[in-house]
């Protein structure tokens, strides 16, 4: 996640910045968990994957597995890759349902062609724009990342990468290398006029270009500021998701609203929406 002060990417290599103390925040800080989960939810929404079919999803920069938890909750299978051993240790301690591996995305994605149906990434890609040693050339590392990502996705697969570009030049560098690798797509910006809620999502297609989803604006429900709390215990993922129970009325209404934002045809809400039906004999 981006810092209010100096950007994390400018403080050193990610495998050193995300040490045990930093990794612990991602399992104990309620606000950080909530923000990460909401960004993962939005990324999956922008993927527009079939909701009635489980997909095999790659999570780049998976960290402690928060975004993977959301994928599992939506019924998908996933594999995560991250460069920080401390973050992956926390993911394993949390007993996440996906598989996680240690790796540097700037060296390429180590999977066979056509392995994954889709890909998400939360707050990771901007790290490739910084050179931590003389041999690191951002443009080359970005191209290696995007070309390998293009390869591991099935044809027609999609990737949604949430990122924090430092400036317009950095965003152009990222999108240029993605295009060179063969991707089509564009950037979706949520809440463009908000300093705190503004989010960038790079939506990529490994096939014919389709329409880019619209970004959220202040006309829709704005994010409410939440105070950060820090506890000595890990916060269960389902509690962090505002207590939304799968298949409940609230869960069904959220799912229908998400499908409407994707432009899909959805039945109108009624008093019977989400109501459990009695079994037939």
């Amino acid at each position: 996640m981006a810092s209010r002060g100096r950007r994390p990417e400018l403080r050193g290599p990610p495998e050193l910045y995300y040490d045990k103390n930093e990794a612990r925040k991602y399992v104990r800080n309620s606000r950080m968990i909530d923000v990460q989960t909401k960004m993962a939810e939005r990324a999956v929404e922008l993927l527009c994957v079939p909701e009635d079919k489980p997909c095999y999803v790659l999570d780049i920069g998976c960290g402690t597995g928060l975004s993977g938890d959301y994928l599992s909750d939506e019924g998908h299978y996933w594999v995560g890759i991250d460069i920080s051993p401390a973050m992956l240790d926390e993911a394993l301690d949390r007993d996440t349902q996906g598989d996680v591996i240690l790796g540097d995305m700037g060296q390429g994605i180590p999977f066979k062609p056509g392995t994954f149906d889709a890909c998400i990434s939360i707050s990771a890609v901007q790290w490739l724009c910084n050179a931590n040693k003389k041999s690191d050339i951002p443009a080359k590392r970005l191209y290696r990342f995007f070309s390998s990502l293009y390869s591991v996705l099935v044809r027609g697969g999609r990737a949604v990468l949430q990122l924090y570009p430092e400036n317009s030049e950095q965003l152009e560098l990222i999108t240029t290398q993605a295009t060179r690798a063969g991707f089509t797509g564009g950037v979706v910006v949520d809440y463009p006029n908000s300093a705190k809620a503004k989010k960038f999502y790079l939506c990529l297609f490994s096939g014919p270009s389709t329409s880019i989803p619209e970004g959220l604006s202040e006309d829709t429900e704005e994010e409410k500021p939440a105070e950060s709390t820090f506890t000595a215990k890990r916060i269960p993922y389902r509690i962090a998701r505002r207590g939304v129970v799968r298949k409940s009325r609230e869960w069904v209404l959220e799912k229908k609203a998400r499908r409407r934002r994707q432009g899909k045809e959805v039945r109108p809400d009624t008093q019977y929406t989400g109501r459990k039906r009695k079994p037939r004999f």
Side-chain angles (χ1 to χ4, degrees):
M1 289 174 53
S3 172
R4 290 184 181 179
R6 192 181 179 194
R7 294 175 65 91
E9 312 93 76
L10 304 180
R11 301 184 184 184
E15 62 270 28
L16 298 181
Y17 175 79
Y18 289 106
D19 56 13
K20 290 184 178 180
N21 291 331
E22 195 68 24
R24 199 172 295 120
K25 297 178 183 178
Y26 284 79
V27 295
R28 297 180 179 174
N29 188 304
S30 61
R31 181 180 180 277
M32 192 171 288
I33 292 172
D34 187 57
V35 171
Q36 290 289 111
T37 302
K38 286 180 179 178
M39 289 191 293
E41 182 177 0
R42 176 61 171 154
V44 173
E45 178 182 308
L46 292 171
L47 276 179
C48 296
V49 293
E51 296 193 6
D52 56 346
K53 177 185 176 183
C55 294
Y56 196 38
V57 184
L58 174 64
D59 183 2
I60 297 174
C62 63
T64 60
L66 294 176
S67 49
D69 283 342
Y70 181 78
L71 288 170
S72 296
D73 195 56
E74 290 296 298
H76 302 298
Y77 304 100
W78 61 278
V79 173
I81 181 172
D82 200 281
I83 198 173
S84 167
M87 296 287 270
L88 293 181
D89 284 344
E90 290 288 351
L92 294 173
D93 288 344
R94 295 177 59 249
D95 196 23
T96 56
Q97 296 184 32
D99 296 319
V100 295
I101 63 171
L102 181 67
D104 178 6
M105 60 181 172
Q107 296 295 328
I109 309 300
F111 292 96
K112 294 180 180 180
T115 299
F116 297 98
D117 300 309
C119 168
I120 67 169
S121 178
I122 306 299
S123 312
V125 177
Q126 70 271 4
W127 284 89
L128 294 178
C129 296
N130 295 274
N132 294 303
K133 49 189 176 183
K134 290 184 179 180
S135 60
D136 286 349
I137 302 176
K140 289 186 176 181
R141 282 172 58 79
L142 281 164
Y143 178 72
R144 190 180 299 118
F145 162 66
F146 282 119
S147 59
S148 61
L149 176 59
Y150 188 90
S151 174
V152 302
L153 289 174
V154 298
R155 292 289 72 85
R158 296 188 176 198
V160 175
L161 316 176
Q162 185 276 327
L163 67 157
Y164 290 105
E166 186 173 9
N167 47 49
S168 58
E169 289 78 13
Q170 192 176 91
L171 183 60
E172 183 177 0
L173 171 65
I174 294 171
T175 54
T176 298
Q177 299 308 315
T179 303
R180 279 191 61 206
F183 281 110
T184 57
V187 178
V188 173
V189 183
D190 285 351
Y191 306 107
N193 300 319
S194 172
K196 295 181 66 176
K198 187 176 183 179
K199 297 290 186 297
F200 291 83
Y201 294 88
L202 179 60
C203 300
L204 302 175
F205 314 124
S206 61
S209 180
T210 60
S211 60
I212 304 296
E214 293 185 4
L216 303 179
S217 66
E218 286 73 12
D219 294 334
T220 60
E221 184 180 358
E222 292 192 5
E223 296 182 7
K224 297 180 180 179
E227 294 183 359
S228 175
T229 59
F230 199 91
T231 68
K233 298 185 295 183
R234 291 180 174 85
I235 299 174
Y237 168 71
R238 291 186 182 276
I239 293 179
R241 270 202 80 198
R242 307 179 301 282
V244 178
V245 179
R246 188 175 177 83
K247 301 297 183 180
S248 66
R249 177 178 171 82
E250 185 179 359
W251 183 88
V252 172
L253 290 174
E254 281 189 6
K255 184 174 181 179
K256 293 178 71 175
R258 183 167 65 249
R259 291 175 67 87
R260 290 190 185 99
R261 290 196 296 269
Q262 293 172 349
K264 297 179 179 179
E265 193 172 321
V266 181
R267 291 182 179 180
D269 299 333
T270 69
Q271 59 179 331
Y272 302 106
T273 300
R275 178 178 294 184
K276 291 185 179 180
R277 300 177 184 269
K278 295 182 179 180
R280 292 184 177 180
F281 294 97

